[in-house]
Amino acid sequence: MKNSFSQYHGIKPSDIDFFDIPLDSDVEVFICPFLIENTKMKIPFSRKVYDRLVGFLTELNKNYVRPNKRNLGISFLSHLHEPNEIHFGYSSSNKGKAVAKEKATMIFDALRRNRFAKKGLHTTNQAHNVLLLVQGIGQDIMSDIILNVCRDIFAEFTFYVIEKQGIKNTKKFECEYYDYNTKKWKRDYFNLPVYKGKKIILVPRKIVSGKRAYSERYNWFVSSNYISVRILNKPKISRKEQRLFKKLKNGTKIIIIKRVYEAYKKPKKDIIDFVINYPGSLDEFVQYAKENYPEIDLSDL
């Protein structure tokens, strides 16, 4: 990686417990709520971020989305700005162009259209479920939400790196974050690394992922573990379902998961149907993700 944070500050690869960012551009990675969920019992940082996000989403859904207080909800969300300081996302020149009010409107309307959020169910009070189930909120937007809401927590982690590595090129920056105790946005000053006059905030490597289409993976999980099992257990298989099988040379018929997936997969906006029709599948998928979708492999970059 050209001109990375570690290279600039002379940090040895063996000492890096943060995601090493390029300083002059962005890298296509994201803060992943599934990885936060998966590590919250082992890593205090993840627990702190998880609890803050639950508090934020509970406040948003309960007091703005469910009662459809649109203008107030958009105002509440308008503090979500493009977090250029972490150098994550799709922008190749680190010039985030998202307008806060436009993003706030999009997020509010996306949640308002979601059946779970509109009914006030607790499911959408967890960030990983919002990423999985809410049409219009993808990895980039969720990553931005997490950083904005928990900016103070990430700033404290960055300060830990500063102290550990003896980094001297720092400056006091004003940062905004969500204060769960007051349920308001708050500003404080934090000592952070500076590069070309701009602040840098670092993210623990354990909660960073590459591009992942979690809705497609949940579709596959349900196809493999629920729909195919249901078909196999039916006393009579329909002609349509027969096409999901393959006949082996010895005459045995096996069901092909890829065919099941192609036949039954749902777009993100309708994936809630699987959550309702297959109770327990969402929790099982979260556990499956924990075991099968680790943090990003740096060799892939």
Side-chain angles (χ1 to χ4, degrees):
M1 186 182 294
K2 188 177 180 181
N3 195 25
S4 70
F5 184 87
S6 67
Q7 291 170 343
Y8 185 75
H9 291 285
I11 301 172
K12 296 177 182 178
S14 59
D15 289 339
I16 298 175
D17 52 3
F18 55 89
F19 185 85
D20 195 16
I21 55 171
L23 291 175
D24 294 307
S25 62
D26 289 349
V27 60
E28 196 172 298
V29 297
F30 310 93
I31 304 172
C32 178
F34 274 91
L35 292 175
I36 293 168
E37 160 68 24
N38 295 345
T39 58
K40 69 183 182 186
M41 302 307 292
K42 297 183 295 183
I43 303 175
F45 176 91
S46 295
R47 182 81 230 186
K48 199 171 181 180
V49 170
Y50 174 85
D51 288 343
R52 175 77 64 81
L53 290 171
V54 169
F56 172 79
L57 289 169
T58 299
E59 174 72 8
L60 173 61
N61 287 317
K62 179 182 178 181
N63 293 320
Y64 300 105
V65 175
R66 188 182 180 190
N68 198 20
K69 295 181 179 179
R70 191 170 185 269
N71 290 337
L72 289 174
I74 291 171
S75 177
F76 179 72
L77 289 167
S78 66
H79 295 262
L80 301 174
H81 299 280
E82 194 81 9
N84 289 325
E85 61 263 44
I86 61 172
H87 291 246
F88 284 11
Y90 294 120
S91 172
S92 59
S93 57
N94 193 30
K95 296 178 181 178
K97 299 178 181 178
V99 177
K101 188 173 181 181
E102 290 178 2
K103 181 181 285 189
T105 301
M106 186 278 299
I107 293 170
F108 183 90
D109 290 345
L111 283 165
R112 182 63 194 167
R113 287 192 299 268
N114 184 271
R115 281 177 277 165
F116 283 174
K118 195 156 53 175
K119 290 179 180 179
L121 299 183
H122 295 303
T123 307
T124 49
N125 290 341
Q126 298 187 73
H128 58 280
N129 289 335
V130 172
L131 175 61
L132 177 64
L133 301 173
V134 179
Q135 175 72 20
I137 298 182
Q139 279 184 290
D140 54 339
I141 291 174
M142 179 51 68
S143 183
D144 289 356
I145 291 172
I146 294 170
L147 192 282
N148 275 279
V149 171
C150 306
R151 187 177 271 108
D152 60 319
I153 303 174
F154 286 94
E156 288 168 1
F157 170 78
T158 305
F159 184 73
Y160 150 78
V161 175
I162 288 173
E163 292 283 284
K164 179 182 176 182
Q165 301 296 340
I167 295 171
K168 304 299 183 185
N169 189 18
T170 64
K171 182 181 175 182
K172 287 277 188 180
F173 287 95
E174 187 179 34
C175 298
E176 187 176 44
Y177 60 93
Y178 177 72
D179 183 354
Y180 177 65
N181 293 321
T182 62
K183 295 179 172 54
K184 296 181 183 297
W185 293 89
K186 184 178 178 180
R187 289 178 175 271
D188 274 326
Y189 283 88
F190 297 89
N191 196 32
L192 297 170
V194 59
Y195 179 72
K196 293 184 178 179
K198 297 180 179 180
K199 64 179 176 286
I200 297 291
I201 286 182
L202 301 170
V203 177
R205 193 167 61 188
K206 289 286 186 182
I207 62 168
V208 178
S209 79
K211 189 175 181 181
R212 287 177 180 166
Y214 279 105
S215 58
E216 292 179 15
R217 296 184 184 206
Y218 179 60
N219 262 303
W220 185 275
F221 180 82
V222 171
S223 298
S224 177
N225 295 278
Y226 286 88
I227 300 175
S228 59
V229 173
R230 175 178 60 80
I231 293 171
L232 287 169
N233 288 333
K234 289 178 69 174
K236 187 176 181 180
I237 296 174
S238 68
R239 182 176 295 180
K240 180 182 177 181
E241 292 166 336
Q242 289 284 355
R243 284 178 258 173
L244 305 175
F245 288 79
K246 178 182 178 181
K247 191 173 183 179
L248 302 179
K249 290 181 179 180
N250 63 5
T252 304
K253 286 186 176 181
I254 59 171
I255 195 164
I256 306 300
I257 302 302
K258 185 176 181 181
R259 294 178 186 177
V260 177
Y261 168 79
E262 292 294 339
Y264 289 94
K265 68 179 178 181
K266 291 181 179 292
K268 188 173 182 179
K269 66 183 179 66
D270 295 327
I271 210 169
I272 281 177
D273 293 341
F274 283 158
V275 180
I276 296 170
N277 295 335
Y278 300 105
S281 65
L282 184 58
D283 290 338
E284 288 180 18
F285 176 72
V286 171
Q287 181 60 35
Y288 179 83
K290 181 177 182 179
E291 297 168 357
N292 293 275
Y293 306 145
E295 71 269 20
I296 192 167
D297 183 349
L298 299 182
S299 64
D300 291 340
L301 296 177

